Amino acid sequence: MGKCYPEKMYATGAVGQTHFGASENGDMIEEGFIDDYMMPNLTAYNETCANLCNAMFSFRMLGIHGQAKYADIIELVMHNSGLSGISVEGKDYFYANPLRMLHNTRDYNAHADVTETPDREGYLACFCCPPNLVRTISNLSGWAYSLADNGVHVNLYGSNNLTTTMLDGSAIKLTQDTEYPWKGLVKLTVESCKSDAFDIALRVPEWATGATITINGEDAGVKATPATYAVLHRNWKAGDVIVIDIPMEATFIEGHQRIEEVRNQVAIKRGPVVYCIETPDLPDDVSVLDVYVKGDSELAVDYQPDFLGGTAIITADTYLRSREQGAMYTAVKKPDWQETRTKFVPYYAWSNRGTAEMTVFVPVVWK
Ligand SMILES: [Zn+2]
């Protein structure tokens, strides 16, 4: 098992920490990678194309090495920093995908060929990301399975039908039924296959603890270890049913202690989906910067079929802090907290309800 999160990758699978940097020759460049663990939220570039490239590169590495950690990155990008590049309606786009957005804090027109926008736009001056994203979504079914020496690897979960030819020339048909990522129950039915024994290998996501696998209702006898493929070897026949049941717990995540930009902050993740808060869900006079989350809060999950294209929202106990816009540094007074509960929405679905400010990481309070 290897590390799933390289030291320059965001919790959303995004890459490309800065808009500006310098080459080894000292020449000015746009779209830069900087030091490990240096992960700005507000000023991150995270171009949609760069995030998709992270998934594309991972698919090729998966083809070479067959390691689940690469499929984990594909899943992470496609549920978060790739998908955030397009609106729920499919008409408006982001070029940059920072993890925090505050308006009127940066001059978006300060440089030529501006690529960062505070709202999704129907047309981007540098129009690479929109077609790149829609073609990648269209091709994603081609990444769902891989062929191995004597079997099929299931890389990605989502309802589909597989009809393909294995490497020995034999035909196989599988059906996958699931409501993933909102539910972690995945049912695979063998529709037809060869009579000789072969492998069906299921990816166990790196975040999945307590997953179980059954075949025709009985324990498959294979441990579902996170960030590996669980290999099921047998003589399969039409009608065989494999079920992998992955608990979808909403959890707080924190960054490595060396990431200064998220120290004492947490984000919410459920399965592969990273959440954020945005201003349409806050009282009018509250900034996303003034929301603190209670560290031991219950995280309530509610699937809402008519909200943002059908999505699970999460609510958590929060404290709102009223604070005057201060000087650069001021003496600290004990905050006058307002206790409430705040809605978190999937990061990919932010900026679909008009102009909004947003943050993925939120300061945490333990009382
Ligand atoms: Zn692009």
Side-chain angles (χ1 to χ4, degrees):
M1 189 186 355
K3 290 181 292 186
C4 299
Y5 289 82
E7 291 85 352
K8 297 182 202 291
M9 192 175 85
Y10 284 88
T12 56
V15 291
Q17 300 119 300
T18 63
H19 283 252
F20 299 107
S23 73
E24 288 181 354
N25 298 328
D27 299 327
M28 182 80 162
I29 57 165
E30 286 195 69
E31 196 157 10
F33 285 80
I34 48 176
D35 293 4
D36 289 356
Y37 306 109
M38 193 182 279
M39 312 297 294
N41 293 302
L42 182 62
T43 59
Y45 200 140
N46 296 345
E47 183 189 338
T48 303
C49 286
N51 307 339
L52 295 174
C53 182
N54 191 22
M56 292 172 186
F57 177 76
S58 298
F59 180 66
R60 281 153 185 81
M61 293 296 280
L62 178 66
I64 296 168
H65 298 291
Q67 292 178 318
K69 67 178 180 178
Y70 297 113
D72 280 324
I73 291 177
I74 295 170
E75 178 181 79
L76 187 69
V77 170
M78 296 315 300
H79 286 86
N80 300 287
S81 57
L83 196 54
S84 58
I86 190 168
S87 65
V88 166
E89 286 203 338
K91 294 178 182 169
D92 298 297
Y93 305 94
F94 273 137
Y95 192 105
N97 296 273
L99 276 70
R100 183 171 293 148
M101 173 59 73
L102 304 175
H103 293 149
N104 306 315
T105 54
R106 306 190 72 207
D107 182 358
Y108 296 106
N109 295 311
H111 54 100
D113 302 323
V114 65
T115 50
E116 188 181 18
T117 53
D119 294 299
R120 294 175 193 279
E121 293 184 355
Y123 179 80
L124 304 176
C126 184
F127 207 74
C128 52
C129 300
N132 197 10
L133 178 51
V134 292
R135 73 160 180 161
T136 304
I137 293 171
S138 305
N139 284 335
L140 195 55
S141 58
W143 294 354
Y145 298 88
S146 294
L147 297 173
D149 278 344
N150 185 30
V152 171
H153 282 218
V154 185
N155 302 323
L156 300 175
Y157 297 116
S159 288
N160 64 73
N161 300 304
L162 172 71
T163 303
T164 194
T165 305
M166 298 213 296
L167 293 178
D168 63 3
S170 63
I172 183 168
K173 279 191 185 183
L174 298 176
T175 299
Q176 192 181 146
D177 288 311
T178 180
E179 292 174 57
Y180 199 90
W182 311 124
K183 292 184 181 170
L185 191 78
V186 181
K187 178 180 162 193
L188 284 145
T189 305
V190 179
E191 304 294 348
S192 63
C193 65
K194 66 178 181 177
S195 54
D196 295 343
F198 66 95
D199 298 337
I200 296 178
L202 308 179
R203 181 177 66 91
V204 184
E206 57 87 15
W207 46 263
T209 50
T212 56
I213 301 170
T214 59
I215 301 172
N216 299 330
E218 294 180 9
D219 186 345
V222 173
K223 206 160 173 256
T225 306
T228 68
Y229 283 89
V231 181
L232 311 175
H233 181 83
R234 64 153 62 192
N235 291 88
W236 300 98
K237 61 180 188 313
D240 281 343
V241 174
I242 306 164
V243 172
I244 180 167
D245 192 359
I246 307 169
M248 284 283 182
E249 298 289 336
T251 50
F252 287 121
I253 59 166
E254 63 179 349
H256 187 283
Q257 51 272 58
R258 277 185 55 191
I259 309 175
E260 287 186 88
E261 293 87 346
V262 298
R263 278 185 68 80
N264 303 322
Q265 296 169 58
V266 295
I268 293 177
K269 189 162 181 253
R270 180 172 182 264
V273 180
V274 175
Y275 282 74
C276 66
I277 52 175
E278 54 172 345
T279 40
D281 298 312
L282 296 177
D284 284 345
D285 56 344
V286 174
S287 160
V288 291
L289 298 181
D290 291 330
V291 182
Y292 293 60
V293 71
K294 195 173 167 185
D296 55 1
S297 170
E298 174 215 357
L299 299 177
V301 181
D302 182 26
Y303 181 75
Q304 300 190 341
D306 300 322
F307 182 62
L308 296 172
T311 194
I313 60 125
I314 293 174
T315 46
D317 293 328
T318 52
Y319 300 101
L320 308 182
R321 178 180 180 181
S322 59
R323 188 176 176 186
E324 295 289 314
Q325 185 76 32
M328 188 73 173
Y329 303 98
T330 48
V332 175
K333 285 188 222 137
K334 186 178 177 187
D336 182 18
W337 299 116
Q338 179 195 337
E339 291 192 37
T340 186
R341 281 179 70 79
T342 296
K343 183 194 284 187
F344 288 69
V345 299
Y347 171 76
Y348 76 78
W350 89 273
S351 190
N352 277 283
R353 292 176 287 163
T355 298
E357 298 192 335
M358 175 278 297
T359 186
V360 171
F361 279 93
V362 181
V364 63
V365 175
W366 300 86
K367 295 219 301 196

